[in-house]
Amino acid sequence: MQRRTSLIFLGSLLIMFTSVVNQSRADTCTEILGTCENCDQKCLDKYGPSVRTQCDGVAGQPLLCTCIFHCGPPLPPKVCTGGAGLCSGNCSDKCCDGNCAAKYNAGHGSCLMLGNFNLCQCEYTC
């Protein structure tokens, strides 16, 4: 009985050690967050709506809550375009760039001639 308990304990430690942050599969990691009570909510709170959950363990031991989540390189930010008025002699590229920075998150801009209009076109993180 002593040997079986020791093996179960060692098996539990091995599962916990290898699962805390397991990056064996590209872009997928796992983390154990204790017992399975409120497992879905614990993982959702920590990793957001794309997390998957799993409850498993070793016979005779409490089931453990495992969060499975994306951990690869961050996705590049999405770039959007918008406008910040017209360019003129009083407001050229530098002025346009400043207007875009003030109007949009991480905004940058330049003047763009479109037909008869000299527009201030912005690119920003959306």
Side-chain angles (χ1 to χ4, degrees), residues 59-80:
Q61 299 291 317
L63 295 178
L64 299 175
C65 172
T66 303
C67 304
I68 305 161
F69 56 96
H70 173 77
C71 63
L75 299 173
K78 184 177 177 186
V79 176
C80 292

Side-chain angles (χ1 to χ4, degrees), residues 47-67:
Y47 295 106
S50 63
V51 72
R52 294 186 338 260
T53 60
Q54 180 176 316
C55 286
D56 55 13
V58 179
Q61 299 291 317
L63 295 178
L64 299 175
C65 172
T66 303
C67 304

Side-chain angles (χ1 to χ4, degrees), residues 2 10 17 36 42 65-66 81 98 117 124:
Q2 173 92 13
L10 288 174
F17 178 75
C36 281
K42 288 190 283 190
C65 172
T66 303
T81 58
F117 298 99
Y124 59 95

Side-chain angles (χ1 to χ4, degrees), residues 23 25-29 69-77:
Q23 295 182 348
R25 285 186 282 159
D27 300 330
T28 301
C29 292
F69 56 96
H70 173 77
C71 63
L75 299 173

Side-chain angles (χ1 to χ4, degrees), residues 33-111:
L33 294 183
T35 64
C36 281
E37 185 177 338
N38 298 319
C39 183
D40 290 340
Q41 191 60 49
K42 288 190 283 190
C43 291
L44 183 65
D45 290 346
K46 188 161 185 180
Y47 295 106
S50 63
V51 72
R52 294 186 338 260
T53 60
Q54 180 176 316
C55 286
D56 55 13
V58 179
Q61 299 291 317
L63 295 178
L64 299 175
C65 172
T66 303
C67 304
I68 305 161
F69 56 96
H70 173 77
C71 63
L75 299 173
K78 184 177 177 186
V79 176
C80 292
T81 58
L86 297 173
C87 291
S88 65
N90 294 333
C91 187
S92 59
D93 281 333
K94 189 173 183 179
C95 171
C96 173
D97 190 56
N99 289 342
C100 292
K103 187 173 182 178
Y104 297 107
N105 177 33
H108 294 284
S110 61
C111 296

